[in-house]
Amino acid sequence: KSLTNQLFQHKHAGLFFFINYLRYIRDTLVIGNINDSEQTKLNTIITAIAEFDAYIECLKTKNLKQKTFHWETFCELVKQNMEEWLDLNDSI
């Protein structure tokens, strides 16, 4: 229900779905037994989620400098790790 509300009320709806997908991967890894390489991927997923959440908070406060910082950090994490994150889902 929350996702449906976000879809129709927020211009970043697609990103919310993507972030929830990352949360799913994160939660699955946390619950399961993971090896060292998966731990590194888990850490980058956690960081990306935190950066996106910080970006959304900056939208509320209208802090442009922090908003830009968190958005660029999030995008860089996605750019550098997306392929590895999606590979994780093959084994989930």
Side-chain angles (χ1 to χ4, degrees):
K1 185 176 178 179
S2 157
L3 288 175
T4 303
N5 288 339
Q6 290 173 358
L7 177 62
F8 295 109
Q9 295 177 1
H10 204 283
K11 69 179 182 178
H12 298 298
L15 283 172
F16 284 115
F17 282 109
F18 175 67
I19 293 299
N20 279 316
Y21 176 69
L22 289 181
R23 286 185 174 118
Y24 164 76
I25 294 173
R26 175 202 63 197
D27 294 348
T28 304
L29 290 172
V30 168
I31 291 170
N33 293 327
I34 59 175
N35 59 40
D36 290 340
S37 70
E38 289 173 332
Q39 182 64 49
T40 302
K41 294 171 187 177
L42 174 62
N43 292 340
T44 59
I45 289 172
I46 291 169
T47 305
I49 292 168
E51 287 296 336
F52 183 78
D53 290 342
Y55 165 74
I56 294 300
E57 284 303 311
C58 289
L59 289 177
K60 296 174 187 173
T61 63
K62 304 202 187 297
N63 184 334
L64 240 38
K65 186 176 180 181
Q66 286 295 312
K67 179 185 97 166
T68 302
F69 171 78
H70 291 299
W71 177 251
E72 289 176 357
T73 304
F74 169 74
C75 289
E76 189 62 30
L77 284 165
V78 171
K79 181 175 123 182
Q80 291 181 10
N81 297 287
M82 180 70 143
E83 188 173 341
E84 284 131 10
W85 294 344
L86 295 178
D87 285 345
L88 283 171
N89 195 38
D90 289 342
S91 62
I92 295 176

